[in-house]
Amino acid sequence: MPELPEVEVVRRGLERWVSGRVVAHAEVFHPRAIRRHAPGAEEFVSRLKGRTVGSAERRGKYLWLPLDGSDAILAHLGMSGQLLMVEPDSAPEKHLRVRIAFTDGGPDLRFVDQRTFGHVLVTAMGHSGGRPVPEPIVHIAADPFEAHFDDEKFASRLRAKQTEVKRALLDQSLISGVGNIYADEALWRAGLHGVRPTGALTKPKIAELLAAARQVMAAALSEGGTSFDSLYVNVNGESGYFDRSLAVYGRRDEPCPRCGAPIIRESFMNRSSYSCPRCQPRPRKAGL
Ligand SMILES: [Zn+2]
């Protein structure tokens, strides 16, 4: 599943290959891909025709392309979504869902999604977290790379949540863009077990955790940051590009890079959590 660094790579690719171009026409090949576009496929297509695409933006795992300064094309890649730049005369991909062609006759923008958990839509813009963002995502908190992300406010809200720290990291109303993989990596760096109660975390520990989240995602981005040079803008939702930068995620029974103890896998929120039993001791249950 693509996480923030992978989505940022796609954003940079879109910025390079799509910005400033004018939409000639769009086609929708599968209704599920635009299920969040309430007015339907016909309106989606007519609303895009003739629009000039602005510079690609991102919040968390959402991407958008501003249109003529008012609307935007909003995309979420889901589990397996890809945004591809493809020459207009090349054959349709097996799982092609939406195609956007441009007046310059250059490469199409194609949304390909095997599992169809991803979606695209055209929407009006709203405002949230100190910047214009598409209306459907105004309720989503800023991600930690946004200029207006408020570290102090995040720390206060995290403590007030009275929940488990991993649950809070995955809570998109508190912080966006931290998925299962980078939550585990950040918790390992900060030496915190994911079920630690947020109310008991000190402000310096929260600052350390936030810095760790930024570091692991920035490191992943710098490793994968060259792939947007090619014409083919691609997120491979299955393997992920950045496995090599991971210390604990997916590394059950391998030695912890810090202390050598075997990494353990536990079930959490119907997903897998990976941690070091020595660096990240599980808190004792209250009353024991
Ligand atoms: Zn360890």
Side-chain angles (χ1 to χ4, degrees):
M1 188 174 199
E3 294 217 24
L4 186 152
E6 292 85 348
V7 176
E8 174 61 14
V9 168
V10 177
R11 188 199 68 77
R12 292 178 183 185
L14 290 174
E15 191 169 49
R16 175 164 176 175
W17 293 103
V18 182
S19 295
R21 301 174 71 194
V22 178
V23 176
H25 62 269
E27 289 169 276
V28 176
F29 298 98
H30 197 298
R32 198 168 143 74
I34 60 148
R35 64 192 178 280
R36 305 273 174 91
H37 187 84
E42 237 173 81
E43 205 269 354
F44 177 88
V45 167
S46 67
R47 202 153 154 195
L48 282 175
K49 195 177 171 64
R51 306 296 292 273
T52 303
V53 177
S55 192
E57 304 256 4
R58 185 188 53 72
R59 164 168 285 180
K61 292 188 256 183
Y62 283 91
L63 285 166
W64 67 93
L65 293 164
L67 297 169
D68 301 329
S70 56
D71 294 345
I73 303 169
L74 176 64
H76 193 285
L77 301 172
M79 300 285 284
S80 58
Q82 297 171 297
L83 286 165
L84 310 178
M85 302 304 306
V86 184
E87 291 301 336
D89 56 359
S90 57
E93 292 73 13
K94 188 175 178 197
H95 302 290
L96 178 61
R97 307 305 184 199
V98 175
R99 177 164 69 180
I100 298 174
F102 298 91
T103 56
D104 56 19
D108 294 341
L109 176 61
R110 297 188 185 183
F111 181 62
V112 174
D113 190 5
Q114 182 179 356
R115 299 180 67 182
T116 65
F117 288 110
H119 63 92
V120 293
L121 55 87
V122 182
T123 173
M125 294 295 288
H127 200 87
S128 147
R131 63 191 282 221
V133 299
E135 260 174 9
I137 62 165
V138 291
H139 63 287
I140 291 177
D143 74 52
F145 293 105
E146 289 186 47
H148 290 88
F149 188 91
D150 186 334
D151 290 22
E152 287 283 317
K153 193 173 148 197
F154 170 75
S156 309
R157 293 189 62 214
L158 184 88
R159 284 157 59 103
K161 277 271 176 186
Q162 301 288 347
T163 184
E164 296 160 324
V165 63
K166 183 168 178 183
R167 198 176 289 274
L169 281 179
L170 298 175
D171 181 345
Q172 304 286 298
S173 70
L174 196 60
I175 183 172
S176 67
V178 184
N180 198 42
I181 296 171
Y182 295 110
D184 279 3
E185 293 295 311
L187 289 164
W188 176 77
R189 286 199 181 204
L192 289 171
H193 193 283
V195 303
R196 288 275 291 270
T198 56
L201 297 178
T202 63
K203 286 213 164 178
K205 200 66 188 171
I206 295 170
E208 190 186 335
L209 177 63
L210 195 52
R214 288 187 174 116
Q215 283 161 11
V216 292
M217 290 194 285
L221 184 56
S222 67
E223 279 181 34
T226 51
S227 54
F228 64 88
D229 271 348
S230 71
L231 179 63
Y232 189 75
V233 179
N234 181 21
V235 161
N236 181 336
E238 296 305 317
S239 65
Y241 293 142
F242 309 140
D243 285 354
R244 275 169 297 181
S245 68
L246 304 179
V248 287
Y249 189 85
R251 300 198 177 278
R252 183 185 196 176
D253 295 332
E254 291 180 37
C256 166
R258 190 162 44 210
C259 77
I263 299 299
I264 56 168
R265 179 170 67 87
E266 295 169 292
S267 185
F268 184 78
M269 293 172 73
N270 296 319
R271 289 185 260 192
S272 290
S273 281
Y274 295 87
S275 62
C276 169
R278 198 177 293 161
C279 298
Q280 302 163 265
R282 199 181 172 92
R284 280 190 251 173
K285 285 204 177 82
L288 291 177

